[in-house]
Amino acid sequence: MKALRFSLFATFLVALALAGCDNASPVVQGGDANISSTEDAAVSIANALSLEGGGALDVVASAADVASDVQNSQGGDSSGCIRERSYDESTFTWTGFIECERGRPDGLFYALFSRTGTFQFLNGDAPVQYPADADAVNFDIIDGEGLRRAPGFSHELLDIGADLNVADIHTELLTINGTYNRAATDTLYTRNAERTLAYELSMTLTDLQAPPGDRHLWRTAVSGTIEGVYHAVITFTRGDSYVEREITKTFTIVFGDGDGDIRDAIITIDGRDFRADVETGQVQGVD
């Protein structure tokens, strides 16, 4: 059965290790361009993290919203989203479904995606029905689909999953730990070339924190760290030139730079730092 979570879950959700042989950031050369697999991975990871792209932070924001306001959500159709929800009294488990559309199909930015998830509130180790009686919630994503376009970028989601625990749900800052994974195909149209990345990605989230409430608070109030593994087959095409490479990258993500501005995430791969906008997934300094 399909059904939903709630306020943020609605507004936001409107938000592996496979062996590879290329951790040394190989470069594909052609004409006057040098295409770095490290940059490719950074762009792909940033989009898999982003709020607008329905990425990991979108799931985190949804979990935070569920933790604070489940009984006040009415489901139905709002903010470009169709939402449903149901409750299983025998297992104390909510099931939620949401389908959202953002932007215009002919616009620069466009996203269309759906998610199905389950969540169970806990008082200590005992399950309860509502967050008012709970101090934590287990939140899982069990299925999802999605399409996304941005300038020079397109994305098709193939698989997604998450297993999160939200603690401290009645305090000023929620604390979220758990795992997140996805498989997708990204196509980058840059430097007069086309690159397609068919990838699998896994993340471990450690002590991510933000206040409950509107998902947009997560643009400026995220702390914590993420570690992960990114595996991709990259196809590079320019004119008659064609190159295919397989890469595996480990990465870390931290939020902000110590000056109070936490809108950016710092993604570290191969010893390089990339600054990514947590809302849009755009990476500074990468075409």
Side-chain angles (χ1 to χ4, degrees), residues 8 59 64 77 112 143 203 275:
L8 238 214
V59 173
D77 188 342
L112 175 66
D143 190 24
M203 295 179 177
R275 184 179 293 270

Side-chain angles (χ1 to χ4, degrees), residues 179-240:
T179 59
Y180 174 85
N181 63 273
R182 68 191 289 144
T185 299
D186 288 346
T187 302
L188 312 175
Y189 307 94
T190 62
R191 298 170 178 168
N192 300 316
E194 179 177 313
R195 302 199 300 291
T196 299
L197 297 83
Y199 74 84
E200 296 180 351
L201 173 149
S202 64
M203 295 179 177
T204 299
L205 290 63
T206 303
D207 293 338
L208 266 64
Q209 291 188 312
D214 192 299
R215 65 182 296 275
H216 295 294
L217 293 173
W218 286 78
R219 291 180 293 187
T220 56
V222 176
S223 64
T225 60
I226 294 175
E227 296 180 338
V229 178
Y230 176 89
H231 176 86
V233 174
I234 302 177
T235 302
F236 170 82
T237 305
R238 169 186 280 152
D240 295 331

Side-chain angles (χ1 to χ4, degrees), residues 89-152:
E89 294 182 356
S90 65
T91 63
F92 293 87
T93 300
W94 294 88
T95 299
F97 171 78
I98 186 167
E99 183 177 71
C100 299
E101 185 175 27
R102 293 181 178 173
R104 303 191 316 271
D106 59 348
L108 290 177
F109 295 90
Y110 178 72
L112 175 66
F113 52 91
S114 65
R115 300 286 186 270
T116 301
T118 63
F119 41 100
Q120 184 185 67
F121 298 100
L122 300 172
N123 185 336
D125 293 329
V128 294
Q129 183 171 1
Y130 292 119
D133 303 316
D135 51 33
V137 57
N138 289 330
F139 182 93
D140 297 338
I141 296 293
I142 58 176
D143 190 24
E145 298 178 344
L147 298 171
R148 184 173 182 240
R149 291 195 307 272

Side-chain angles (χ1 to χ4, degrees), residues 40 65 69 124 132 137 142 175 238 264 280:
D40 281 340
D65 185 59
D69 197 29
V137 57
I142 58 176
T175 302
R238 169 186 280 152
D264 294 336
T280 66

Side-chain angles (χ1 to χ4, degrees), residues 4 14 75-84 97-101:
L4 159 75
V14 175
D77 188 342
S78 65
S79 303
C81 297
I82 297 172
R83 301 174 287 146
E84 301 172 359
F97 171 78
I98 186 167
E99 183 177 71
C100 299
E101 185 175 27

